Amino acid sequence: MTVVDRLGNGRTTFSVEFFPPRDDEEERVLWRAVRELEPLDPAFVSVTYGAGGSSRDRTIRTTGRIAQETTLTPMAHLTAVDHSVAELRNVIGWYAASGVRNVLAVRGDPPGDPNGEWISHPEGLEYAEELVRLVRDLGDFCVGVAAFPHGHPRSADLDTDADHLVRKIRAGAGFAIAQLFLEPEYFLRLRDRLAARGCDAPLLPGVMPITTPRVLAKFGELAGVPVPSAISDRLLPLADDPAGFRRAGVEVVTRLCERLIAEGVPALHFYTLNRSKATRQVVSDLGL
């Protein structure tokens, strides 16, 4: 089934995201998480993509294994970073041959410095909407794109960023997944901006259970904005109490998810960091 099919059952569900393992031990950790989450029937699972080298190869292999060896619906990630169009066609062909029919198409960050200048491959693509069209042209794929509640760092303002997102969807994307945020208003305002432009594609919020001070710091890095002071003031005093920090961090994210469910989101997209325990706890507490 496609991601859009899996989201169309009229109830809030959830999905999970993994990153490609760097070695055999990380691969064992990843597959333990996959097997622990499989009985909960997430709408789909995705594996992030590193351009070039072993990371890319492990992404392709892991996504293919999920398609072939589990009951889960896999979604492959694909970026335009350091790829010619010919190479992109090849990767898309590998996904198709592995039985993968869902692809998240993102332009990707400059290698080495996410905030550096974007330079396209001389025989590659410049924009994510071009990648969406390429994937759709090469097969019967369901394509997703990235969305930015706080605005993409290279967008002039939030309205311009929403215009870019709409163009990606109108290029053939069927849904969008939002980057991390901790204040629901940013996500809900983005959804309102899409609706005002006549765009009703499913928009999924990206969430990540906050289990350690390191994860809290990573949250701010991935979101691209400082952690709200109300949350850091609550959690950081517990930095020397691992169990207390974990309880409070999971509760913060659970309350966020409750607000999003009340606002009618089709699914919650969990960034798992290749672990399942905290995600399973939030999913259980929410009754999903």
Side-chain angles (χ1 to χ4, degrees):
M1 296 182 69
T2 70
V3 167
V4 171
D5 290 335
R6 295 282 287 165
L7 297 176
N9 59 12
R11 65 177 179 87
T12 300
T13 181
F14 76 101
S15 56
V16 294
E17 181 167 309
F18 302 111
F19 58 81
R22 291 170 294 188
D23 53 39
D24 291 343
E25 175 57 28
E26 286 193 1
E27 189 152 0
R28 284 190 287 271
V29 170
L30 166 63
W31 277 95
R32 183 165 59 246
V34 169
R35 294 305 185 185
E36 289 169 345
L37 287 162
E38 186 174 9
L40 302 183
D41 190 31
F44 63 92
V45 299
S46 67
V47 183
T48 60
Y49 184 91
S54 61
S55 176
R56 182 194 68 182
D57 296 340
R58 286 181 181 269
T59 295
I60 294 169
R61 184 172 71 249
T62 301
T63 308
R65 280 191 64 189
I66 291 172
Q68 297 164 5
E69 300 178 20
T70 77
T71 61
L72 298 165
T73 298
M75 180 181 72
H77 286 219
L78 184 62
T79 81
V81 175
D82 286 344
H83 275 323
S84 67
V85 170
E87 290 169 337
L88 290 168
R89 288 175 178 270
N90 191 28
V91 174
I92 295 165
W94 286 345
Y95 284 142
S98 299
V100 177
R101 288 294 180 270
N102 301 285
V103 175
L104 187 75
V106 297
R107 188 176 75 168
D109 295 322
D113 180 6
N115 297 315
E117 181 184 0
W118 165 260
I119 300 175
S120 62
H121 187 285
E123 298 174 2
L125 302 176
E126 179 71 22
Y127 300 109
E129 64 185 275
E130 296 174 311
L131 185 56
V132 171
R133 291 192 184 95
L134 178 64
V135 176
R136 290 298 304 270
D137 287 346
L138 291 177
D140 186 21
F141 290 99
C142 175
V143 181
V145 293
F148 301 88
H150 294 283
H152 191 283
R154 294 179 179 83
S155 288
D157 51 51
L158 294 177
D159 282 324
T160 301
D161 189 66
D163 291 337
H164 289 316
L165 177 54
V166 170
R167 282 200 294 272
K168 291 189 289 187
I169 292 170
R170 290 178 178 162
F175 64 99
I177 299 176
Q179 296 282 60
L180 291 169
F181 59 93
L182 281 169
E183 295 170 294
E185 290 75 19
Y186 286 95
F187 173 85
L188 298 172
R189 290 168 188 157
L190 171 58
R191 192 173 67 172
D192 289 344
R193 289 193 291 275
L194 293 185
R197 289 160 171 78
C199 182
D200 60 357
L203 178 64
L204 279 58
V207 296
M208 185 169 69
I210 302 171
T211 54
T212 66
R214 182 179 178 183
V215 172
L216 180 63
K218 186 69 172 177
F219 205 115
E221 176 188 332
L222 294 174
V225 295
V227 173
S229 58
I231 293 175
S232 59
D233 290 348
R234 178 181 177 185
L235 296 183
L236 290 180
L238 300 170
D240 295 326
D241 176 9
F245 188 101
R246 181 186 180 88
R247 282 195 301 271
V250 169
E251 182 181 356
V252 164
V253 174
T254 301
R255 299 289 88 79
L256 170 66
C257 292
E258 287 176 341
R259 170 72 188 282
L260 295 168
I261 290 172
E263 294 285 351
V265 298
L268 303 162
H269 186 68
F270 286 93
Y271 297 91
T272 67
L273 300 180
N274 288 9
R275 301 294 193 277
S276 74
K277 184 177 180 180
T279 296
R280 287 186 285 123
Q281 180 179 343
V282 175
V283 167
S284 175
D285 290 346
L286 294 171
L288 298 179

